[in-house]
PDB file of all heavy atoms in Angstrom:
ATOM      1  N   ALA S1183      36.353 109.157 107.069  1.00 81.00           N
ATOM      2  CA  ALA S1183      36.084 107.769 107.401  1.00 81.00           C
ATOM      3  C   ALA S1183      36.543 106.820 106.263  1.00 81.00           C
ATOM      4  O   ALA S1183      37.114 105.768 106.489  1.00 81.00           O
ATOM      5  CB  ALA S1183      34.622 107.555 107.702  1.00 81.00           C
ATOM      6  N   GLU S1184      36.287 107.260 105.041  1.00 81.00           N
ATOM      7  CA  GLU S1184      36.717 106.471 103.888  1.00 81.00           C
ATOM      8  C   GLU S1184      38.236 106.434 103.758  1.00 81.00           C
ATOM      9  O   GLU S1184      38.839 105.399 103.447  1.00 81.00           O
ATOM     10  CB  GLU S1184      36.078 107.015 102.603  1.00 81.00           C
ATOM     11  CG  GLU S1184      34.592 106.803 102.523  1.00 81.00           C
ATOM     12  CD  GLU S1184      33.989 107.518 101.295  1.00 81.00           C
ATOM     13  OE1 GLU S1184      34.750 108.079 100.506  1.00 81.00           O
ATOM     14  OE2 GLU S1184      32.747 107.540 101.181  1.00 81.00           O
ATOM     15  N   ALA S1185      38.867 107.564 104.058  1.00 83.00           N
ATOM     16  CA  ALA S1185      40.319 107.609 104.036  1.00 83.00           C
ATOM     17  C   ALA S1185      40.895 106.694 105.113  1.00 83.00           C
ATOM     18  O   ALA S1185      41.905 106.014 104.892  1.00 83.00           O
ATOM     19  CB  ALA S1185      40.809 109.053 104.246  1.00 83.00           C
ATOM     20  N   ARG S1186      40.216 106.697 106.258  1.00 81.00           N
ATOM     21  CA  ARG S1186      40.661 105.805 107.331  1.00 81.00           C
ATOM     22  C   ARG S1186      40.550 104.334 106.937  1.00 81.00           C
ATOM     23  O   ARG S1186      41.390 103.503 107.287  1.00 81.00           O
ATOM     24  CB  ARG S1186      39.851 106.098 108.627  1.00 81.00           C
ATOM     25  CG  ARG S1186      40.272 105.299 109.845  1.00 81.00           C
ATOM     26  CD  ARG S1186      41.708 105.666 110.237  1.00 81.00           C
ATOM     27  NE  ARG S1186      42.094 105.063 111.486  1.00 81.00           N
ATOM     28  CZ  ARG S1186      42.524 103.810 111.643  1.00 81.00           C
ATOM     29  NH1 ARG S1186      42.589 103.013 110.609  1.00 81.00           N
ATOM     30  NH2 ARG S1186      42.877 103.341 112.841  1.00 81.00           N
ATOM     31  N   GLN S1187      39.468 103.975 106.225  1.00 78.00           N
ATOM     32  CA  GLN S1187      39.301 102.627 105.778  1.00 78.00           C
ATOM     33  C   GLN S1187      40.415 102.235 104.764  1.00 78.00           C
ATOM     34  O   GLN S1187      40.946 101.115 104.776  1.00 78.00           O
ATOM     35  CB  GLN S1187      37.933 102.429 105.108  1.00 78.00           C
ATOM     36  CG  GLN S1187      36.772 102.488 106.091  1.00 78.00           C
ATOM     37  CD  GLN S1187      35.430 102.422 105.411  1.00 78.00           C
ATOM     38  OE1 GLN S1187      35.344 102.221 104.186  1.00 78.00           O
ATOM     39  NE2 GLN S1187      34.345 102.602 106.169  1.00 78.00           N
ATOM     40  N   GLY S1188      40.763 103.212 103.871  1.00 79.00           N
ATOM     41  CA  GLY S1188      41.830 102.941 102.917  1.00 79.00           C
ATOM     42  C   GLY S1188      43.154 102.736 103.657  1.00 79.00           C
ATOM     43  O   GLY S1188      43.926 101.839 103.290  1.00 79.00           O
ATOM     44  N   ALA S1189      43.430 103.575 104.670  1.00 79.00           N
ATOM     45  CA  ALA S1189      44.663 103.402 105.416  1.00 79.00           C
ATOM     46  C   ALA S1189      44.687 102.071 106.158  1.00 79.00           C
ATOM     47  O   ALA S1189      45.737 101.427 106.256  1.00 79.00           O
ATOM     48  CB  ALA S1189      44.801 104.571 106.430  1.00 79.00           C
ATOM     49  N   GLU S1190      43.537 101.649 106.632  1.00 75.00           N
ATOM     50  CA  GLU S1190      43.460 100.360 107.329  1.00 75.00           C
ATOM     51  C   GLU S1190      43.741  99.227 106.364  1.00 75.00           C
ATOM     52  O   GLU S1190      44.390  98.205 106.734  1.00 75.00           O
ATOM     53  CB  GLU S1190      42.093 100.182 107.984  1.00 75.00           C
ATOM     54  CG  GLU S1190      41.967  98.982 108.863  1.00 75.00           C
ATOM     55  CD  GLU S1190      42.900  99.054 110.076  1.00 75.00           C
ATOM     56  OE1 GLU S1190      43.162 100.145 110.570  1.00 75.00           O
ATOM     57  OE2 GLU S1190      43.379  97.969 110.486  1.00 75.00           O
ATOM     58  N   ARG S1191      43.275  99.382 105.141  1.00 73.00           N
ATOM     59  CA  ARG S1191      43.541  98.340 104.130  1.00 73.00           C
ATOM     60  C   ARG S1191      45.025  98.263 103.813  1.00 73.00           C
ATOM     61  O   ARG S1191      45.618  97.181 103.690  1.00 73.00           O
ATOM     62  CB  ARG S1191      42.760  98.658 102.847  1.00 73.00           C
ATOM     63  CG  ARG S1191      42.922  97.586 101.799  1.00 73.00           C
ATOM     64  CD  ARG S1191      41.994  97.870 100.626  1.00 73.00           C
ATOM     65  NE  ARG S1191      42.203  96.859  99.567  1.00 73.00           N
ATOM     66  CZ  ARG S1191      41.624  96.905  98.375  1.00 73.00           C
ATOM     67  NH1 ARG S1191      40.788  97.926  98.097  1.00 73.00           N
ATOM     68  NH2 ARG S1191      41.858  96.013  97.452  1.00 73.00           N
ATOM     69  N   VAL S1192      45.685  99.445 103.700  1.00 77.00           N
ATOM     70  CA  VAL S1192      47.131  99.421 103.472  1.00 77.00           C
ATOM     71  C   VAL S1192      47.829  98.803 104.663  1.00 77.00           C
ATOM     72  O   VAL S1192      48.795  98.019 104.500  1.00 77.00           O
ATOM     73  CB  VAL S1192      47.626 100.881 103.258  1.00 77.00           C
ATOM     74  CG1 VAL S1192      49.152 100.907 103.188  1.00 77.00           C
ATOM     75  CG2 VAL S1192      47.041 101.482 101.974  1.00 77.00           C
ATOM     76  N   ARG S1193      47.385  99.120 105.887  1.00 73.00           N
ATOM     77  CA  ARG S1193      48.009  98.527 107.049  1.00 73.00           C
ATOM     78  C   ARG S1193      47.881  96.987 107.029  1.00 73.00           C
ATOM     79  O   ARG S1193      48.812  96.261 107.398  1.00 73.00           O
ATOM     80  CB  ARG S1193      47.368  99.069 108.314  1.00 73.00           C
ATOM     81  CG  ARG S1193      47.886  98.380 109.574  1.00 73.00           C
ATOM     82  CD  ARG S1193      47.709  99.182 110.821  1.00 73.00           C
ATOM     83  NE  ARG S1193      46.341  99.392 111.208  1.00 73.00           N
ATOM     84  CZ  ARG S1193      45.968 100.028 112.336  1.00 73.00           C
ATOM     85  NH1 ARG S1193      46.899 100.476 113.148  1.00 73.00           N
ATOM     86  NH2 ARG S1193      44.703 100.230 112.617  1.00 73.00           N
ATOM     87  N   SER S1194      46.724  96.515 106.602  1.00 69.00           N
ATOM     88  CA  SER S1194      46.528  95.057 106.536  1.00 69.00           C
ATOM     89  C   SER S1194      47.487  94.434 105.512  1.00 69.00           C
ATOM     90  O   SER S1194      48.066  93.367 105.755  1.00 69.00           O
ATOM     91  CB  SER S1194      45.074  94.745 106.166  1.00 69.00           C
ATOM     92  OG  SER S1194      44.868  93.366 106.039  1.00 69.00           O
ATOM     93  N   ILE S1195      47.621  95.095 104.374  1.00 69.00           N
ATOM     94  CA  ILE S1195      48.510  94.555 103.322  1.00 69.00           C
ATOM     95  C   ILE S1195      49.979  94.523 103.842  1.00 69.00           C
ATOM     96  O   ILE S1195      50.698  93.544 103.642  1.00 69.00           O
ATOM     97  CB  ILE S1195      48.413  95.444 102.048  1.00 69.00           C
ATOM     98  CG1 ILE S1195      47.044  95.253 101.413  1.00 69.00           C
ATOM     99  CG2 ILE S1195      49.546  95.074 101.055  1.00 69.00           C
ATOM    100  CD1 ILE S1195      46.759  96.238 100.302  1.00 69.00           C
ATOM    101  N   VAL S1196      50.397  95.613 104.504  1.00 71.00           N
ATOM    102  CA  VAL S1196      51.772  95.662 105.018  1.00 71.00           C
ATOM    103  C   VAL S1196      51.957  94.600 106.089  1.00 71.00           C
ATOM    104  O   VAL S1196      53.015  93.942 106.156  1.00 71.00           O
ATOM    105  CB  VAL S1196      52.066  97.054 105.566  1.00 71.00           C
ATOM    106  CG1 VAL S1196      53.422  97.099 106.256  1.00 71.00           C
ATOM    107  CG2 VAL S1196      52.068  98.080 104.426  1.00 71.00           C
ATOM    108  N   ARG S1197      50.932  94.394 106.942  1.00 67.00           N
ATOM    109  CA  ARG S1197      51.062  93.387 107.980  1.00 67.00           C
ATOM    110  C   ARG S1197      51.247  91.983 107.345  1.00 67.00           C
ATOM    111  O   ARG S1197      52.085  91.211 107.784  1.00 67.00           O
ATOM    112  CB  ARG S1197      49.841  93.384 108.863  1.00 67.00           C
ATOM    113  CG  ARG S1197      49.891  92.408 110.025  1.00 67.00           C
ATOM    114  CD  ARG S1197      48.581  92.288 110.748  1.00 67.00           C
ATOM    115  NE  ARG S1197      47.566  91.730 109.890  1.00 67.00           N
ATOM    116  CZ  ARG S1197      46.403  92.360 109.603  1.00 67.00           C
ATOM    117  NH1 ARG S1197      46.161  93.564 110.091  1.00 67.00           N
ATOM    118  NH2 ARG S1197      45.523  91.804 108.768  1.00 67.00           N
ATOM    119  N   ASP S1198      50.471  91.704 106.331  1.00 62.00           N
ATOM    120  CA  ASP S1198      50.580  90.431 105.633  1.00 62.00           C
ATOM    121  C   ASP S1198      51.970  90.327 104.957  1.00 62.00           C
ATOM    122  O   ASP S1198      52.600  89.251 105.014  1.00 62.00           O
ATOM    123  CB  ASP S1198      49.492  90.276 104.574  1.00 62.00           C
ATOM    124  CG  ASP S1198      48.118  90.206 105.183  1.00 62.00           C
ATOM    125  OD1 ASP S1198      48.010  89.880 106.395  1.00 62.00           O
ATOM    126  OD2 ASP S1198      47.125  90.545 104.499  1.00 62.00           O
ATOM    127  N   LEU S1199      52.411  91.389 104.362  1.00 64.00           N
ATOM    128  CA  LEU S1199      53.742  91.385 103.702  1.00 64.00           C
ATOM    129  C   LEU S1199      54.830  91.100 104.697  1.00 64.00           C
ATOM    130  O   LEU S1199      55.791  90.359 104.426  1.00 64.00           O
ATOM    131  CB  LEU S1199      53.983  92.705 102.990  1.00 64.00           C
ATOM    132  CG  LEU S1199      55.284  92.875 102.226  1.00 64.00           C
ATOM    133  CD1 LEU S1199      55.366  91.882 101.094  1.00 64.00           C
ATOM    134  CD2 LEU S1199      55.422  94.278 101.693  1.00 64.00           C
ATOM    135  N   LYS S1200      54.735  91.650 105.891  1.00 62.00           N
ATOM    136  CA  LYS S1200      55.767  91.473 106.900  1.00 62.00           C
ATOM    137  C   LYS S1200      55.899  90.017 107.343  1.00 62.00           C
ATOM    138  O   LYS S1200      56.956  89.558 107.713  1.00 62.00           O
ATOM    139  CB  LYS S1200      55.462  92.358 108.102  1.00 62.00           C
ATOM    140  CG  LYS S1200      55.843  93.807 107.875  1.00 62.00           C
ATOM    141  CD  LYS S1200      55.214  94.710 108.876  1.00 62.00           C
ATOM    142  CE  LYS S1200      55.680  94.399 110.276  1.00 62.00           C
ATOM    143  NZ  LYS S1200      55.041  95.311 111.297  1.00 62.00           N
ATOM    144  N   ILE S1201      54.771  89.274 107.306  1.00 60.00           N
ATOM    145  CA  ILE S1201      54.844  87.857 107.664  1.00 60.00           C
ATOM    146  C   ILE S1201      55.777  87.103 106.721  1.00 60.00           C
ATOM    147  O   ILE S1201      56.599  86.274 107.126  1.00 60.00           O
ATOM    148  CB  ILE S1201      53.431  87.221 107.640  1.00 60.00           C
ATOM    149  CG1 ILE S1201      52.611  87.728 108.840  1.00 60.00           C
ATOM    150  CG2 ILE S1201      53.536  85.685 107.663  1.00 60.00           C
ATOM    151  CD1 ILE S1201      51.221  87.154 108.881  1.00 60.00           C
ATOM    152  N   PHE S1202      55.690  87.452 105.418  1.00 57.00           N
ATOM    153  CA  PHE S1202      56.499  86.710 104.432  1.00 57.00           C
ATOM    154  C   PHE S1202      57.864  87.322 104.275  1.00 57.00           C
ATOM    155  O   PHE S1202      58.761  86.691 103.716  1.00 57.00           O
ATOM    156  CB  PHE S1202      55.759  86.727 103.064  1.00 57.00           C
ATOM    157  CG  PHE S1202      54.410  86.059 103.140  1.00 57.00           C
ATOM    158  CD1 PHE S1202      53.262  86.805 103.363  1.00 57.00           C
ATOM    159  CD2 PHE S1202      54.317  84.694 103.053  1.00 57.00           C
ATOM    160  CE1 PHE S1202      52.025  86.144 103.439  1.00 57.00           C
ATOM    161  CE2 PHE S1202      53.097  84.034 103.128  1.00 57.00           C
ATOM    162  CZ  PHE S1202      51.953  84.802 103.337  1.00 57.00           C
ATOM    163  N   ALA S1203      58.053  88.551 104.783  1.00 56.00           N
ATOM    164  CA  ALA S1203      59.343  89.208 104.610  1.00 56.00           C
ATOM    165  C   ALA S1203      60.278  88.930 105.770  1.00 56.00           C
ATOM    166  O   ALA S1203      61.488  89.159 105.682  1.00 56.00           O
ATOM    167  CB  ALA S1203      59.137  90.727 104.502  1.00 56.00           C
ATOM    168  N   ARG S1204      59.779  88.401 106.884  1.00 54.00           N
ATOM    169  CA  ARG S1204      60.656  88.192 108.029  1.00 54.00           C
ATOM    170  C   ARG S1204      61.725  87.205 107.742  1.00 54.00           C
ATOM    171  O   ARG S1204      61.463  86.136 107.145  1.00 54.00           O
ATOM    172  CB  ARG S1204      59.860  87.700 109.221  1.00 54.00           C
ATOM    173  CG  ARG S1204      58.947  88.747 109.850  1.00 54.00           C
ATOM    174  CD  ARG S1204      58.142  88.155 110.946  1.00 54.00           C
ATOM    175  NE  ARG S1204      57.142  89.137 111.429  1.00 54.00           N
ATOM    176  CZ  ARG S1204      56.040  88.831 112.015  1.00 54.00           C
ATOM    177  NH1 ARG S1204      55.700  87.570 112.235  1.00 54.00           N
ATOM    178  NH2 ARG S1204      55.181  89.752 112.428  1.00 54.00           N
ATOM    179  N   ALA S1205      62.937  87.514 108.124  1.00 46.00           N
ATOM    180  CA  ALA S1205      64.062  86.571 108.020  1.00 46.00           C
ATOM    181  C   ALA S1205      64.294  85.966 109.391  1.00 46.00           C
ATOM    182  O   ALA S1205      65.301  86.181 110.042  1.00 46.00           O
ATOM    183  CB  ALA S1205      65.303  87.304 107.520  1.00 46.00           C
ATOM    184  N   ASP S1206      63.332  85.163 109.844  1.00 48.00           N
ATOM    185  CA  ASP S1206      63.339  84.684 111.209  1.00 48.00           C
ATOM    186  C   ASP S1206      64.254  83.509 111.420  1.00 48.00           C
ATOM    187  O   ASP S1206      64.285  82.908 112.500  1.00 48.00           O
ATOM    188  CB  ASP S1206      61.921  84.278 111.658  1.00 48.00           C
ATOM    189  CG  ASP S1206      61.025  85.501 111.885  1.00 48.00           C
ATOM    190  OD1 ASP S1206      61.608  86.564 112.130  1.00 48.00           O
ATOM    191  OD2 ASP S1206      59.821  85.359 111.840  1.00 48.00           O
ATOM    192  N   GLY S1207      65.005  83.074 110.395  1.00 48.00           N
ATOM    193  CA  GLY S1207      65.835  81.876 110.529  1.00 48.00           C
ATOM    194  C   GLY S1207      64.980  80.679 110.885  1.00 48.00           C
ATOM    195  O   GLY S1207      63.922  80.448 110.303  1.00 48.00           O
ATOM    196  N   GLU S1208      65.414  79.926 111.866  1.00 51.00           N
ATOM    197  CA  GLU S1208      64.685  78.729 112.273  1.00 51.00           C
ATOM    198  C   GLU S1208      63.927  78.919 113.554  1.00 51.00           C
ATOM    199  O   GLU S1208      63.528  77.969 114.213  1.00 51.00           O
ATOM    200  CB  GLU S1208      65.655  77.575 112.413  1.00 51.00           C
ATOM    201  CG  GLU S1208      66.354  77.207 111.094  1.00 51.00           C
ATOM    202  CD  GLU S1208      65.367  76.813 109.998  1.00 51.00           C
ATOM    203  OE1 GLU S1208      64.371  76.163 110.287  1.00 51.00           O
ATOM    204  OE2 GLU S1208      65.650  77.167 108.844  1.00 51.00           O
TER     205      GLU S1208
END
Side-chain angles (χ1 to χ4, degrees):
E1184 291 173 6
R1186 184 63 173 80
Q1187 290 176 6
E1190 188 62 33
R1191 184 175 177 184
V1192 174
R1193 174 158 65 177
S1194 176
I1195 292 170
V1196 172
R1197 183 189 64 239
D1198 296 338
L1199 181 62
K1200 282 164 63 180
I1201 287 180
F1202 299 95
R1204 287 177 188 156
D1206 286 338
E1208 297 301 324

